[in-house]
Amino acid sequence: MNYIIQTHRLSKEYKRFAKEAGLKGSLKSLFNRKFVSKTAVSDFDLTVEQGEFVGLIGPNGAGKTTLVKMLTGIIAPTSGEISVLGHYPNKLANAFKKQYAVVMGQKSQLIYDMTAADTFLLFKEMYEIPEAVYRRNLALFTDLFDAEEYLNMQVRTLSLGERLKMELVTALLHDPKVLFLDEPTIGLDAPAQRQIRAFLQEVNSRKGTTILLTSHYMEDVRSLCPRSIVVNNGCKIYDGETAALFASYQTQKKVTIQFESASEFVAPPHCTILEKNSHKALFMIPKEKTGTILERIMKEYRLKDISVEEEDIGLVVEKIYQNGNGVQS
């Protein structure tokens, strides 16, 4: 099978200069430099097919951004094999650079003193985008984002959410085959996050663009990515269906009950109380015991209201990271 992204035993090691504190340490380091090795990515195997939408998740320092930088040619690997769109990324061949795009939530490719429309024209020339393709894509993406009003405004005057929309339009004007997204929704409010997700789903569906997404917002990954890869300490600890990953760890239900009148709630076995007073109780129960426990509670207490929610996704992710080996695919 011809994969659009393929790595084998890909590794990246950094050497960091280390010295003792103070003037004495500085003088000693002039004659006897010491370095500490840090492995950011280790023996990483990855295959991605055309049109996939893959989530890359892991705690801070896990190696996600380093992996993306190697896949885009920003940094070279220390060892291993890597191929993206049939190219060795770090050669930075023009033919390769014209086939991918990268958007990093904490870095901008827009020019703040220019309007977004002028930036688009600049990228049109840089990527040698044919006029018909440029006009078609600009019309499509501005329509999907309902962003016509932002085009002729200086980038510096746009809000964070508006700027990110323009970043995505800029990245996609040249019809890249692969889009790398590193924390694209960082700092955005919930409505803006939902709009970005809807846009990315549409691009993946309409254009068949292969998307590799790293994000700490697990709702991004769960709602967008059928496949997830979990990275920890530079190693891949899970590669498989996103739904299966969360099902393996989302083992609790969060239940909130409100009483019709003041009551002294005694939690049944297997319940973990999170909050309790005479009118309300909030607790966690095992997923498989939900029906039995709720039936007992409704028999013993007069309830005004009851709500049952999935376990908080943040807690689920903590479990995934704390489990050193993840769920093996």
Side-chain angles (χ1 to χ4, degrees), residues 7-11 43-44 77-82 88:
T7 72
H8 177 62
R9 302 199 68 179
L10 187 68
S11 298
D43 289 338
F44 207 97
T78 304
S79 62
E81 300 172 11
I82 180 171
Y88 178 72

Coordinates of all heavy atoms in Angstrom, one line a residue, residues 7-11 43-44 77-82 88:
T7 N 6.7 6.4 8.5 CA 8.0 6.4 9.2 C 8.3 5.1 9.7 O 7.4 4.3 10.0 CB 7.9 7.4 10.4 OG1 7.1 6.9 11.4 CG2 7.4 8.8 9.9
H8 N 9.6 4.8 9.9 CA 10.0 3.5 10.5 C 11.1 3.8 11.4 O 12.2 4.3 11.1 CB 10.4 2.5 9.4 CG 10.9 1.2 9.9 ND1 10.2 0.4 10.7 CD2 12.2 0.6 9.8 CE1 10.9 -0.7 11.0 NE2 12.1 -0.5 10.5
R9 N 10.9 3.5 12.7 CA 11.9 3.6 13.8 C 12.5 5.1 13.8 O 13.7 5.3 14.0 CB 13.1 2.6 13.6 CG 12.6 1.2 13.7 CD 13.7 0.2 14.0 NE 14.1 0.4 15.4 CZ 15.1 -0.4 16.0 NH1 15.7 -1.3 15.3 NH2 15.4 -0.1 17.2
L10 N 11.6 6.0 13.6 CA 12.0 7.4 13.5 C 12.3 7.9 14.9 O 11.6 7.7 15.9 CB 10.8 8.3 13.0 CG 11.1 9.7 12.7 CD1 12.1 9.9 11.5 CD2 9.8 10.5 12.4
S11 N 13.5 8.6 15.1 CA 13.9 9.0 16.4 C 14.5 10.4 16.3 O 15.1 10.8 15.2 CB 15.0 8.1 17.0 OG 14.5 6.8 17.2
D43 N 12.0 5.6 18.1 CA 11.6 4.4 17.3 C 10.1 4.5 16.9 O 9.3 3.5 17.1 CB 11.8 3.1 18.1 CG 13.3 2.8 18.2 OD1 14.1 3.2 17.4 OD2 13.7 2.0 19.2
F44 N 9.7 5.6 16.3 CA 8.3 5.8 16.0 C 7.9 5.3 14.6 O 8.5 5.7 13.6 CB 8.1 7.4 16.1 CG 6.7 7.7 16.4 CD1 6.3 8.0 17.7 CD2 5.7 7.7 15.4 CE1 5.0 8.4 18.0 CE2 4.4 8.1 15.7 CZ 4.0 8.4 17.1
P77 N 15.5 14.3 11.5 CA 15.5 13.2 12.5 C 17.0 12.8 12.8 O 17.9 13.0 12.0 CB 14.8 12.1 11.8 CG 14.9 12.3 10.3 CD 14.9 13.8 10.2
T78 N 17.2 12.2 13.9 CA 18.5 11.7 14.3 C 18.7 10.4 13.6 O 19.8 10.1 13.1 CB 18.6 11.5 15.8 OG1 18.3 12.8 16.4 CG2 20.0 11.1 16.2
S79 N 17.7 9.6 13.5 CA 17.8 8.3 12.9 C 16.4 7.8 12.4 O 15.4 8.4 12.8 CB 18.4 7.2 13.8 OG 17.6 7.0 15.0
G80 N 16.4 6.7 11.6 CA 15.1 6.2 11.2 C 14.8 6.6 9.8 O 15.5 7.4 9.2
E81 N 13.6 6.1 9.3 CA 13.2 6.4 7.9 C 11.9 7.2 8.0 O 11.1 7.0 8.9 CB 12.9 5.1 7.2 CG 14.1 4.2 7.1 CD 13.8 2.8 6.5 OE1 12.6 2.7 6.0 OE2 14.6 1.9 6.5
I82 N 11.8 8.1 7.0 CA 10.6 9.0 7.0 C 10.3 9.4 5.5 O 11.2 9.7 4.7 CB 10.9 10.3 7.8 CG1 9.6 11.2 7.8 CG2 12.1 11.0 7.4 CD1 9.7 12.4 8.8
Y88 N 11.7 13.0 1.3 CA 12.3 13.1 2.5 C 12.1 14.5 3.0 O 12.7 15.5 2.4 CB 13.8 12.7 2.4 CG 14.6 12.9 3.7 CD1 14.4 12.0 4.8 CD2 15.4 13.9 3.9 CE1 15.1 12.1 6.0 CE2 16.1 14.1 5.1 CZ 15.9 13.2 6.1 OH 16.6 13.3 7.3

